[in-house]
Amino acid sequence: MALRERYVRDGDGTAARLDDGIYGNQSFQEIKARLHRAIITRMDLKKLNALPSDRLHTEVSRLAEDLLLAENLPLSTIERDRLVSEVHHELFGLGPLEPLLSDPTISDILVNSHSNIYIERKGKLEKTAISFKDDEHLMRVIERIVSTVGRRIDEAQPMVDARLPDGSRVNAIIPPLAIDGPTLSIRRFGTDPLKMPALIENGALTKEIAILFEMCVRARLNIIISGGTGAGKTTLLNAMSAYIPADERIVTIEDSAELQLQQPHCVRLETRPSNIEGRGEITQRDLVKNSLRMRPDRIVVGEVRGGEAIDMLQAMNTGHDGSLTTIHANTPRDALSRLETMIQMTGMRLSDRAMRQQIASAVNLVIQVARLTDGTRRIVSIYEITGMEGETITMQEIFLFERTSVDANGKVVGRFRTTGIRPRFAERLKQYGMQLPAFF
């Protein structure tokens, strides 16, 4: 019988495809929806949520099996197991997206419509055979995601940023803004974020660069990580934050909490959108100002994108050195230009020279990351800010990734190398008892 494909997991963990059949006059999706409703009717969901996860799965499975036996449907063992698993996902997870979320090789899940879902794996997009039943089904999943972090999505506020429990970034946008139905984008971070050894193994940087980063973080240099969307800015920020000494107090500030710092003394702050009456909004700028009263040793801003830039720079200039942040920009010079634009967004009437002096005195290092044409993510340039000459911020490149060619498989070939320039922060490293690495 002609059926729609779907993913299931075999015993060895690999993905297999089976077909959704017609059983009597009922489709697989109809059976699942009916089973879902029956379980909700028969069980107290509040009590279920209080059970341990293994006991919870057992109780739901037992009831689902009983209901299937009562209906006497001609389902195979694999189909019964899959049906029970999907109903469990509908009750307590994200429905059809659960198999994708359990796959560690997937970095992005892009739901263009209820029946059109793509994933990104190793930097390349792939279309999946997974789908939601309809727009209403997709909306239920979106509402479940945003409600868990205290946000809302409706016609009055048809787009929202949120996060999953593992820190993965979520963006949802619904009609009337989304013409073809609700749209959902999930940027995966995973429960175990990539650490520096994994980034070295993946070729994002070399061991020598990692040594340099460790010294810069321990010497309390102010660092900006610059790059485009999906270039790996947050991943690198997470990895570099591991070098912050465990006895320092860290305050993180984010629009949607994604950072997963490992230090014990870390306070995490997250913005709050306005309520249905348009009141109660707490911005990143409000949180940066408040963080200065929290006795932080370091302030980590997930991403600067507005007026908080001036408060962050002032904090860097007034004793909160060693701070880290990310910014959307295509080059290190563009990153500094964006900071100027953000300062102007506050309405402060500063001259160009005054703004640039603030930036030049606050920021020590700009790290540029990029996603290359083959889908790999690499550090492509490291710039040191050296001061001002007239009206211009002076910078010098100390490390770069030099592309040489593309191999037969489309992989970018190149090498990391120093530019031969000795960084000025070498004296700062000496003050902290460290010597500039020999490769300089």
Side-chain angles (χ1 to χ4, degrees):
M1 194 171 288
L3 312 169
R4 187 170 65 251
E5 293 179 327
R6 84 270 185 177
Y7 287 118
V8 296
R9 293 278 161 188
D10 288 335
D12 62 357
T14 58
R17 287 183 176 179
L18 296 173
D19 294 322
D20 281 347
I22 305 299
Y23 307 94
N25 295 320
Q26 304 173 78
S27 71
F28 192 94
Q29 291 282 7
E30 288 170 342
I31 295 172
K32 184 173 71 174
R34 196 153 44 78
L35 193 60
H36 183 191
R37 289 193 298 270
I39 290 176
I40 290 175
T41 303
R42 295 273 295 272
M43 301 191 82
D44 186 339
L45 294 183
K46 288 185 179 179
K47 290 182 180 178
L48 279 181
N49 284 327
L51 293 175
S53 58
D54 54 346
R55 175 85 184 280
L56 180 65
H57 189 80
T58 302
E59 289 294 322
V60 172
S61 300
R62 181 184 57 77
L63 179 55
E65 290 285 357
D66 291 345
L67 291 170
L68 287 173
L69 285 172
E71 294 211 10
N72 196 27
L73 291 168
L75 297 173
S76 69
T77 303
I78 292 178
E79 289 165 336
R80 284 178 180 274
D81 290 345
R82 178 196 169 224
L83 187 58
V84 171
S85 177
E86 288 193 7
V87 169
H88 189 273
H89 293 159
E90 292 293 341
L91 283 167
F92 308 108
L94 302 186
L97 300 183
E98 284 294 328
L100 304 180
L101 290 168
S102 64
D103 187 341
T105 66
I106 294 174
S107 56
D108 283 87
I109 301 171
L110 308 171
V111 182
N112 297 340
S113 67
H114 75 270
S115 59
N116 189 15
I117 301 174
Y118 283 80
I119 60 170
E120 182 186 283
R121 184 183 276 118
K122 296 181 180 178
K124 299 295 183 181
L125 289 176
E126 306 172 17
K127 193 175 190 308
T128 73
I130 290 173
S131 67
F132 290 84
K133 182 182 178 184
D134 48 32
D135 285 349
E136 183 182 351
H137 186 192
L138 175 54
M139 273 302 302
R140 285 201 304 270
V141 170
I142 292 173
E143 287 167 354
R144 181 176 298 168
I145 293 171
V146 301
S147 63
T148 57
V149 291
R151 306 203 174 193
R152 64 186 179 88
I153 187 165
D154 49 40
E155 286 191 6
Q157 188 172 323
M159 54 185 178
V160 69
D161 285 321
R163 56 181 164 80
L164 298 181
D166 66 0
S168 296
R169 182 186 308 164
V170 177
N171 176 270
I173 183 164
I174 65 173
L177 302 186
I179 297 171
D180 297 323
T183 300
L184 180 66
S185 305
I186 301 176
R187 170 71 52 79
R188 299 285 311 287
F189 290 112
T191 54
D192 187 19
L194 288 175
K195 296 181 173 62
M196 201 62 78
L199 295 180
I200 294 170
E201 185 180 344
N202 293 340
L205 70 164
T206 63
K207 186 177 180 180
E208 290 76 17
I209 296 176
I211 292 170
L212 177 66
F213 286 168
E214 181 175 7
M215 291 183 173
C216 291
V217 171
R218 293 189 179 278
R220 302 183 66 88
L221 298 184
N222 293 319
I223 300 171
I224 291 178
I225 300 171
S226 166
T229 300
K233 299 185 297 297
T234 304
T235 300
L236 180 60
L237 180 59
N238 258 326
M240 289 182 66
S241 69
Y243 296 136
I244 299 175
D247 60 352
E248 294 188 10
R249 178 175 169 84
I250 308 165
V251 177
T252 68
I253 297 165
E254 302 172 82
D255 257 343
S256 183
E258 300 165 357
L259 297 174
Q260 296 169 301
L261 275 62
Q262 308 304 310
Q263 286 77 359
H265 202 166
C266 179
V267 179
R268 304 170 70 209
L269 305 180
E270 184 179 48
T271 62
R272 184 180 72 183
S274 57
N275 60 21
I276 198 167
E277 298 172 348
R279 301 175 182 173
E281 181 183 17
I282 304 295
T283 65
Q284 281 200 139
R285 188 173 188 190
D286 297 326
L287 294 178
V288 171
K289 288 179 181 177
N290 187 78
S291 70
L292 300 178
R293 305 183 185 98
M294 298 173 66
R295 196 244 170 243
D297 289 307
R298 302 194 193 225
I299 299 172
V300 179
V301 182
E303 181 188 338
V304 286
R305 60 180 71 178
E308 67 274 5
I310 183 63
D311 299 289
M312 183 195 69
L313 292 173
Q314 288 176 339
M316 290 176 173
N317 279 323
T318 55
H320 299 93
D321 48 355
S323 297
L324 304 167
T325 190
T326 71
I327 190 170
H328 268 86
N330 293 325
T331 67
R333 178 64 67 179
D334 287 347
L336 303 188
S337 298
R338 283 212 67 207
L339 283 176
E340 291 183 41
T341 303
M342 291 173 191
I343 293 171
Q344 291 170 340
M345 289 168 65
T346 65
M348 298 178 68
R349 296 183 178 180
L350 293 176
S351 66
D352 289 348
R353 181 176 178 81
M355 283 190 294
R356 290 166 188 166
Q357 282 179 329
Q358 283 273 349
I359 296 169
S361 60
V363 182
N364 302 112
L365 214 60
V366 181
I367 302 167
Q368 186 70 33
V369 295
R371 181 166 58 175
L372 306 183
T373 52
D374 60 357
T376 58
R377 295 167 172 85
R378 285 196 175 98
I379 291 169
V380 294
S381 187
I382 304 173
Y383 271 80
E384 180 189 25
I385 296 178
T386 56
M388 292 275 295
E389 281 187 9
E391 298 284 324
T392 305
I393 298 172
T394 55
M395 310 170 70
Q396 59 184 18
E397 189 173 28
I398 59 175
F399 231 109
L400 77 155
F401 176 73
E402 188 176 58
R403 304 183 217 194
T404 54
S405 64
V406 177
D407 67 16
N409 297 319
K411 294 290 184 181
V412 174
V413 178
R415 66 189 181 102
F416 294 96
R417 68 173 182 86
T418 62
T419 60
I421 297 174
R422 182 178 175 83
R424 293 190 183 182
F425 59 72
E427 294 302 316
R428 177 80 168 261
L429 297 184
K430 280 185 181 180
Q431 295 172 12
Y432 282 81
M434 294 176 283
Q435 291 291 331
L436 197 66
F439 51 83
F440 279 105

